[in-house]
Amino acid sequence: MENVFPSRHPLVAHKLSRLRDKNTDPKKFRELVREIAGLLAYEATADLLLEPRQVNTPLATTAGWELQEKIGLVPILRAGLGMVEGIWGLMPTAEVWHIGLYRDEKTLKPVQYYNKLPVAPTVTVCLILDPMLATGGTAVATVDILKKWGAQRVKYVGIIGAPEGVERLHGAHPDVPIYLAAIDERLNDVGYIVPGLGDAGDRQFGTG
C-alpha cells in the first residue's frame, strides 16, 4: 500500500518487543513510548524542506542548512501525550496542539470532546501522534479536523496499526503518510489490536 511506512529499524523492533511485554511497568512503558516516537519521527521528517544558510565555524565560513518548515505536533488525548517528549527532543521548537477524541465502546466511532487549535494554522506540517491505529475512526476524524482547519501537510505517526485501521485511514486520506513501528494481525471483536500491547493509555498512566 502506497504512503504506508512500517519501520524496519532494528532499534524500533527491539523496543517494540519490550513495549508489548505485559510485565513492562508504566515507568518503563512511558520511556519506551518516548524512544520509539523519536525514532519514528526521524523517519517521518526525512522530507522536510531546508533553506541554505552560512555558518561560521571556528576555522572558516561554510554552507549549512536550516529547516524551512514549522512543525506542529497534534497528540490525540490521552495516549498520544506520551509521544510528544520523544519528538520534542529532536525538534524542541515544534508547537503542540491538543485534540481530544475517544472511541465510543459500543459504536466504535470517535467522539470529539476537546479541540485547542488556534483560529488559523501557525505551522506548515502537522504530525498526528497516537500510539494505536485500531479502527481508524479517530485518525480519520483528526485528519478531517486538521484539513478543515487549513493544515497544508498532515502525517500520522503511530506505534502499532491494525490492517483495518491502516486501510480506513489510507482510504479516506491517501495523501496522508502513515508511519508505524509495526502493522499487526487484526482487530478483535471489541476493536482491540491483536497481538497489540493492550490499552496504550492505561499502560502509560498506570490506570489499567
Side-chain angles (χ1 to χ4, degrees):
M1 188 180 296
E2 294 185 358
N3 237 12
V4 179
F5 305 99
S7 179
R8 298 181 179 179
H9 200 292
L11 283 176
V12 173
H14 168 75
K15 292 176 185 295
L16 179 59
S17 296
R18 298 187 67 188
L19 193 71
R20 291 186 191 272
D21 191 331
K22 66 180 183 180
N23 295 315
T24 298
D25 63 48
K27 179 179 182 294
K28 187 60 184 179
F29 192 93
R30 291 191 296 271
E31 292 173 358
L32 290 165
V33 167
R34 289 197 298 269
E35 292 166 2
I36 293 171
L39 290 167
L40 293 175
Y42 179 84
E43 298 181 5
T45 56
D47 62 348
L48 293 181
L49 299 178
L50 297 169
E51 55 186 7
R53 58 165 296 206
Q54 292 294 312
V55 179
N56 296 316
T57 79
L59 300 178
T61 299
T62 187
W65 300 94
E66 188 167 352
L67 275 178
Q68 183 179 338
E69 300 180 283
K70 292 187 68 176
I71 311 301
L73 308 180
V74 186
I76 299 176
L77 303 177
R78 66 178 169 156
L81 290 172
M83 301 178 68
V84 171
E85 286 192 18
I87 299 176
W88 253 349
L90 299 174
M91 298 178 288
T93 60
E95 298 180 10
V96 179
W97 303 106
H98 299 97
I99 292 178
L101 293 161
Y102 69 88
R103 184 176 63 177
D104 186 290
E105 296 303 324
K106 293 183 179 179
T107 66
L108 301 184
K109 293 182 179 180
V111 178
Q112 181 179 328
Y113 66 91
Y114 188 78
N115 184 330
K116 199 60 176 175
L117 294 173
V119 174
T122 55
V123 297
T124 52
V125 181
C126 290
L127 302 183
I128 297 172
L129 310 179
D130 195 7
M132 310 299 280
L133 179 55
T135 64
T138 299
V140 170
T142 304
V143 177
D144 289 341
I145 292 168
L146 292 175
K147 285 186 173 181
K148 186 176 181 180
W149 178 53
Q152 298 177 29
R153 296 172 64 197
V154 179
K155 301 184 178 191
Y156 181 95
V157 181
I159 294 180
I160 295 178
E164 297 91 335
V166 172
E167 184 175 351
R168 183 172 179 181
L169 176 55
H170 180 73
H173 297 287
D175 59 318
V176 173
I178 302 171
Y179 294 87
L180 297 164
I183 299 175
D184 276 8
E185 297 173 9
R186 59 183 173 85
L187 292 177
N188 64 15
D189 56 1
V190 292
Y192 277 81
I193 301 174
V194 179
L197 49 75
D199 187 297
D202 283 342
R203 294 196 64 188
Q204 283 184 78
F205 299 107
T207 54

